[in-house]
Amino acid sequence: MFPFDGEGYGKSEIRRLRLIKRPTPVVEQPNEIPSDYYLAQNYPNPFNPVTTIEFGLPEESQVKLSVYNIIGQEIKVLLNGELKAGRYKVNFDAGELSSGIYFYMLKANDRIFKRKMVLIK
């Protein structure tokens, strides 16, 4: 709030700010092999129209990553093949799809993981 003089005009004050410059820490994250299979929640969620899906494999695996509509129809296969152990990120562009709830499923060897995502246009 600014103080006012007797005529209704605001008086300004000059203040000095002292900015301290500190370097932003950058921590290198080693690409460790996960101890178990996982399928993370996509991000961002809700999304429009691109989202990222992350998953991890503790060993070399036959992998299929697919997207399904609300009635269970497979509408897109994002990956289908053999992958080495590690962490992976896959971008999914749903630009041609309508708004709604979709599911994505990861099949890796004998494991199955499912998650829900929301497309809002």
Side-chain angles (χ1 to χ4, degrees):
M1 186 164 163
F2 294 105
F4 290 95
D5 63 14
E7 297 178 16
Y9 297 104
K11 292 183 180 179
S12 62
E13 292 183 20
I14 297 176
R15 296 185 185 224
R16 291 184 183 215
L17 295 175
R18 194 169 145 214
L19 300 175
I20 301 172
K21 292 186 179 182
R22 294 184 184 161
T24 303
V26 177
V27 180
E28 187 174 327
Q29 297 284 337
N31 189 14
E32 297 176 1
I33 294 175
S35 58
D36 202 1
Y37 293 91
Y38 74 88
L39 176 62
Q41 184 64 52
N42 67 301
Y43 60 90
N45 191 33
F47 68 100
N48 177 22
V50 179
T51 190
T52 301
I53 299 170
E54 181 179 334
F55 64 93
L57 309 170
E59 61 189 7
E60 190 170 310
S61 304
Q62 182 65 35
V63 173
K64 184 175 182 183
L65 179 62
S66 302
V67 177
Y68 296 83
N69 63 17
I70 194 75
I71 61 173
Q73 296 169 321
E74 185 178 71
I75 57 169
K76 181 84 172 184
V77 176
L78 302 175
L79 285 172
N80 191 10
E82 194 153 319
L83 295 176
K84 295 182 180 184
R87 299 177 192 277
Y88 295 89
K89 291 182 182 180
V90 177
N91 287 331
F92 171 51
D93 185 344
E96 75 282 355
L97 300 177
S98 60
S99 296
I101 297 173
Y102 294 88
F103 298 92
Y104 56 105
M105 182 167 55
L106 174 70
K107 292 180 184 178
N109 288 344
D110 61 343
R111 305 284 182 98
I112 297 175
F113 301 91
K114 301 173 197 166
R115 292 213 180 248
K116 178 172 63 173
M117 60 185 165
V118 179
L119 172 62
I120 298 178
K121 289 188 170 183

